[in-house]
Amino acid sequence: MARTTRQVSVDDSKPASANYHANALARGLALLEMLAASTEPLTLNDFSAATALPKSTLVRLLAVLGEMEYVVRIDERPSYRLGHKVHRLASSYVSTLDLTVVAQEYLKPLAEGTGQTANLGVLDGDQVLHICVAEPDRPLRFTTALGSRDHTYCTGLGKVLLSDLTDEQVARTVPAEPFDAFTGNTITTLEDLRRDLRRTARRGYALDDNERSSGLRCVAVPVPVAGENLAALSVSGPTGEFGTAKQHEYVAMLDEVAKRMAADPDFTTALRIVHRSLRSAGA
């Protein structure tokens, strides 16, 4: 086991008792984190080697955690596993997560920074489901409703999500040919769509160029979580404000936000909950 020592900052302006309890709490939480990261129970020797804490200190910490039912001693070595109280905390954490609320923290600054409408979508069957929408504070803007659904083959969000699928999966997801044409630019055949999806995958972003609505452009990027594109992020607005240079500028901003989203445990946990819910509903 790798040897790691968790350093806890101490505020010397506080009474010694306050610092003592802060250190004890931090050390106890560190032991819980070690157990959570391990695939098997940990012994007192494991804790000692990893933290460099005296065994007498570890025994006291583990005894308190055991009394509170956050850890369980399972043999005489002694070794420990997580207790049922941890599950209660985890269940409460999951139940209070709302992907729309978490995502708004990212989409609102994106809408303000680009002056365009920011959207987060996931694939739900053969449609894009808008999980979160943030609109800029300006009179002329693209408007869509939270929870609304749209086609995949003619939207930036949809094409990003389709680009992560196999050819067979794409064929099962899109409607029968010819696809409904909403404008003169709408892709209506599977062959043309596959060509566009290959281009999307190569460059790392999708473009809706007046394909869903005349006068509207959209650029979208994937939000990769553990190597899988579980969501797509986009900005949409008037065609005249999405020239080539602006598209690249927006894509760079989208990529940065998507990267921060994917690194946020609250966001990724909430996103996985949404996907499980959608799969259950479609089963």
Side-chain angles (χ1 to χ4, degrees), residues 111-131:
E112 292 168 2
T114 60
Q116 310 296 348
T117 300
N119 310 274
L120 179 73
V122 298
L123 190 62
D124 183 18
D126 60 353
Q127 297 177 315
V128 175
L129 173 62
H130 289 265
I131 293 293

Side-chain angles (χ1 to χ4, degrees), residues 116 138 140-142 182-185 208-218 236-242:
Q116 310 296 348
R138 52 178 287 190
L140 181 62
R141 62 183 185 271
F142 169 65
F182 299 98
T183 74
N185 285 2
D208 165 5
D209 186 8
N210 295 270
E211 297 167 47
R212 181 63 178 92
S213 300
S214 294
L216 177 73
R217 275 184 178 148
C218 167
S236 307
T239 296
E241 298 177 15
F242 277 71

Side-chain angles (χ1 to χ4, degrees), residues 3 26 46 84 92 108 120 123 129 136 147 173 207 223 245 250 277:
R3 185 184 182 87
D46 292 330
H84 71 93
S92 178
K108 288 181 68 175
L120 179 73
L123 190 62
L129 173 62
T173 302
L207 172 65
V223 183
Y250 292 155
S277 176

